[in-house]
Amino acid sequence: MSRRHNVLLFLCFLPFANALYKQWIPDTNFDNATNWDKGSVPCSNDQVVFSAQRKVSVYVETAHTITGMSLPVDGELILASGAGFTVREGGDPGCGSGVTANFKDSESLKWFDPSLWVAATTIDDLHSGTYQFSVHEESVPCQYDDVVFRETTSFRVDVSSGHDVPVKSVSVLGKKFTSSSEFSQYLSSNSGKLQFHGSSSLKVGGSGCNDITGCICENSGNRDKICSNVKCDSLECKKPLHPVGHCCDICGAIVNVQFSSNFNFESYRQRLQHLFLTVVQRKVELSS
Ligand SMILES: *[C@@H]1O[C@H](CO)[C@@H](O)[C@H](O)[C@H]1NC(C)=O
C-alpha cells in the first residue's frame, strides 16, 4: 500500500552548534507602530501616554509633533540625532480627531522565549535578514553566541533565571560588551536597569566556540523555561519525531551523522543548506 504524505524537511544539528549572532526582535521604539495600543504612531492631534508605573526605555528615531505627553515615573527617552518633540494644540487635518495613544506594555517579553530571537552566522546575514533555523533550545542565546539588540532600538527584556546566563558578548545601541566588568557596570546604569529586568546574572565574556566539529549549546538546563513559551502545532503525520532540543514533535526525518575530529561543522552545515535548504524549510513529498 502506498500513501503520500507532505512532510517538512527539517534538518537539525543538535547537539552541535557553532557560534551564532542572536538578535532580539522586539523593540521599545517610539516610531514602531506595533508599540502603540491604537496600532499607529501618535501624530499631532494625539495625546501620548506612558503609564506612570511602567519602567521603560524608549528610542525615538525622528521628530514628532504631539498634543501632550504623560511620562512614566521611572523611564527614559533616547533621542536619535534630529529626533524630538514639538507640542501643538491639535488642528492637523491629516491626523484624525485626536486620540489618547498609550505605549504598550513590554513587561512580559522573556529572554527565554525562542520566538523573540533570530539567528545568523555572520553580522552581514543578520543585517540582510538571512536567518538560520534552529531548534527551540538553540534559538535562545547560548554561551558561545554574540547577542545583538539592534543598533537604533531600545528594548525591555525579562532575563529572570535562577542561575547565571552566560553569553559571549552583548551589543546594545551599537556598543558591544565583551568584558564582564564593563557589562555589569552597564547593567547597573539607568538604561541597563530599564532594558534588562528580572533576577539573573547575564554574563558576557565567554570564549566563543573554537572547536571546528561544533560545540554543545547547553541550553538544555533551561529547557522548561524555554518550552513554557512555546505552543506546539497539532500534527498530521502518523509517526511524529522529537528532535533533541526542540520543544515540539515534528513530521519529518532525522539523519544521524557520525564524525571524526577533523569534521568541519560549518562547511557541513553550508553544504546541507546549499543542497536542501535554500529556502529554510521546504516542503518535500515523500512516499511511504
Ligand atoms: C516593530 O516591532 C515589532 C515587534 O516588536 C518588530 O517585529 C518589528 O521588526 C519592528 N519594526 C521595525 C520597523 O523595526
Side-chain angles (χ1 to χ4, degrees):
M1 189 174 67
S2 155
R3 275 245 224 102
R4 295 180 84 79
H5 294 289
N6 276 321
V7 297
L8 279 178
L9 179 64
F10 179 102
L11 291 185
C12 94
F13 306 110
L14 258 172
F16 295 95
N18 53 344
L20 292 170
Y21 291 90
K22 303 243 168 99
Q23 183 170 267
W24 178 250
I25 299 168
D27 62 55
T28 48
N29 284 13
F30 192 95
D31 301 73
N32 188 333
T34 65
N35 288 328
W36 297 96
D37 66 338
K38 305 289 188 303
S40 59
V41 177
C43 51
S44 59
N45 299 343
D46 297 339
Q47 185 77 28
V48 171
V49 176
F50 293 95
S51 57
Q53 299 312 320
R54 194 67 68 210
K55 296 183 168 146
V56 70
S57 164
V58 175
Y59 190 86
V60 188
E61 287 159 281
T62 57
H64 294 272
T65 305
I66 51 173
T67 298
M69 189 190 292
S70 314
L71 292 168
V73 175
D74 187 4
E76 68 176 2
L77 294 170
I78 302 172
L79 303 182
S81 154
F85 296 97
T86 311
V87 175
R88 195 172 61 203
E89 275 301 316
D92 177 355
C95 179
S97 55
V99 294
T100 299
N102 296 287
F103 197 75
K104 277 199 208 158
D105 184 7
S106 45
E107 210 56 21
S108 58
L109 301 178
K110 293 194 169 64
W111 175 277
F112 289 105
D113 183 343
S115 69
L116 300 181
W117 296 96
V118 286
T121 42
T122 64
I123 279 281
D124 285 346
D125 281 357
L126 208 53
H127 290 157
S128 68
T130 309
Y131 302 133
Q132 295 296 316
F133 172 76
S134 332
V135 291
H136 291 124
E137 279 177 24
E138 295 220 345
S139 301
V140 172
C142 302
Q143 55 184 325
Y144 305 108
D145 293 333
D146 292 289
V147 174
V148 179
F149 293 92
R150 278 173 290 139
E151 212 163 300
T152 53
T153 62
S154 196
F155 55 90
R156 184 158 169 87
V157 53
D158 179 358
V159 288
S160 295
S161 161
H163 49 83
D164 282 3
V165 179
V167 295
K168 185 176 166 209
S169 74
V170 174
S171 301
V172 176
L173 287 163
K175 173 153 175 57
K176 184 171 180 178
F177 294 93
T178 51
S179 123
S180 127
S181 58
E182 213 186 345
F183 187 61
S184 41
Q185 212 173 338
Y186 182 76
L187 285 181
S188 53
S189 71
N190 268 343
S191 296
K193 280 191 273 193
L194 293 169
Q195 290 164 337
F196 299 90
H197 69 109
S199 55
S200 108
S201 16
L202 185 53
K203 290 235 155 60
V204 308
S207 64
C209 173
N210 298 316
D211 183 343
I212 57 159
T213 66
C215 298
I216 297 176
C217 171
E218 270 167 18
N219 251 346
S220 50
N222 297 313
R223 182 179 176 80
D224 292 349
K225 254 181 281 182
I226 292 170
C227 292
S228 69
N229 295 301
V230 176
K231 200 177 158 289
C232 297
D233 294 331
S234 64
L235 298 174
E236 282 172 23
C237 56
K238 284 238 170 85
K239 286 185 185 159
L241 302 165
H242 194 100
V244 180
H246 209 53
C247 299
C248 303
D249 284 353
I250 56 147
C251 295
I254 291 177
V255 179
N256 287 312
V257 177
Q258 288 190 342
F259 60 89
S260 59
S261 61
N262 55 5
F263 171 77
N264 186 319
F265 177 82
E266 183 51 27
S267 43
Y268 181 67
R269 192 192 59 73
Q270 280 173 10
R271 212 170 99 222
L272 287 184
Q273 189 107 27
H274 177 73
L275 288 174
F276 300 111
L277 298 172
T278 327
V279 178
V280 175
Q281 295 179 2
R282 181 196 291 174
K283 282 203 163 175
V284 295
E285 282 237 297
L286 290 190
S287 40
S288 60

